[in-house]
Amino acid sequence: MKTIIAACSQNLSGSRASVQTALRTLLAVPWPSQRDVRSALQLLAVLQWVLSFLLLGTVSLLLLIYLLFTSLWLIPVLYVAWIIFDWDTPEKGGRRLPCLRRWTVWKHFRDYFPVKLVKTHDLPPSHNYIIGSHPHGILCVGAFCNFITGSTGFEELFPGIRSFLTTLAGNFRLPVFREYLMSGGLCPVTRRAIGYLLSQRGTGNAVAIVIGGAAESLSCRPGVTTLILKNRKGFVRMALRHGAFLVPSFSFGENDLFRQVVFEEGSWMRSIQRRFQKMMGFAPCLFYGRGLTSCRSRGFLPYSRPITTVVGEPVAVPKVENPSRELVDRYHELYIRALLKLFNENKTKYGLSESDELHIL
């Protein structure tokens, strides 16, 4: 009996010693600093945004198809019925949720790069506006952060102005993803949707359009600033029809977020990209960024590079129901001049050299 008690005592002593050693080891490990915590939160904020835009629509569609063949078949059936009933909502202003725009996660998203919004002129709320957003980049980070989230203070810089951002109409056909887009204030880049915002909601509306679109993303790479704009005149025609002022904006640093494999014009890979773009509305880009665990590894997350979006001087536009081609060309030229002026006056302030030029194709 004494032998058993002695053995138990020895085991208890050993256990206490092991626990004490483990505690000492744990306490010796340095706790994460506030800077480490902030960096982790910023990385997670960007991760959820990238995954939402790249996967949410496809994963939701596949999940609904799967549920259709299970005992939960009623869920996809009811949701499809809702989409049919709600089909026109994206083109009628959507369902904007102010609380979503004020999420704290967007502040961490902003600080990851960081993103900054710069105002150069007032936008009186007595008018409506079409804001041209340049350049497209890969994922339009500057346009999203400034015109959709409230993290950079758009509403404070431009009081009385409600900002919207347009994107591919096909995105609003994807289940769940369409609700996510509408809640933030995104709308289809269609005449009907833009016309509704500029004519049915009074004044003080600013519709941001990434004019270069998918074609421009194919030329996105660090150190090169090329815009697809010469033959993009539909936004000017819309502005004239509704009397909306044209406002140029430029996001310095947008093209530095990813590295892209750019294929030369005339190559077979470039032709495949062009054909895919015409069929699907977007261009398949071969790009990479940083990895999840280290900025030195390769992955699908953007690099943390500063983005400064400068909003320029509005170009006053008259309301002409059926504008002529000559009138559209004239205001298109005025817009390009305003954009070039904005770029040249600010390029040296935000990372470019005096010799850098804006190439417009």
Side-chain angles (χ1 to χ4, degrees), residues 42-57 59 105-106 109 112-113 138-141 144 177 180 257-258 287 289-290 292 299-303:
Q42 292 166 11
L43 192 63
L44 288 174
V46 173
L47 176 64
Q48 66 82 26
W49 179 78
V50 171
L51 291 179
S52 296
F53 270 82
L54 295 182
L55 298 177
L56 181 58
V59 171
V105 68
W106 300 131
F109 179 87
Y112 171 84
F113 298 96
I138 296 294
L139 294 178
C140 304
V141 172
F144 177 85
F177 190 46
Y180 177 76
L257 304 182
F258 293 95
F287 66 90
R290 59 157 290 177
L292 182 61
F300 57 89
L301 294 179
Y303 293 107

Side-chain angles (χ1 to χ4, degrees), residues 212-273:
E216 194 171 276
S217 66
L218 295 178
S219 302
C220 166
R221 61 183 185 272
V224 177
T225 311
T226 301
L227 304 183
I228 306 298
L229 182 57
K230 273 188 179 179
N231 296 318
R232 301 290 174 99
K233 300 179 182 180
F235 72 102
V236 178
R237 188 172 288 106
M238 287 295 297
L240 284 164
R241 284 177 178 171
H242 299 281
F245 287 14
L246 290 168
V247 184
S249 73
F250 195 93
S251 294
F252 293 91
E254 182 74 47
N255 284 349
D256 298 330
L257 304 182
F258 293 95
R259 303 290 182 268
Q260 182 182 184
V261 180
V262 178
F263 301 100
E264 296 298 326
E265 290 291 344
S267 65
W268 66 275
M269 279 299 296
R270 189 71 160 196
S271 63
I272 290 176
Q273 288 178 314

Side-chain angles (χ1 to χ4, degrees), residues 180-191:
Y180 177 76
L181 294 177
M182 285 193 291
S183 63
L186 283 104
C187 299
V189 61
T190 61
R191 291 180 182 178

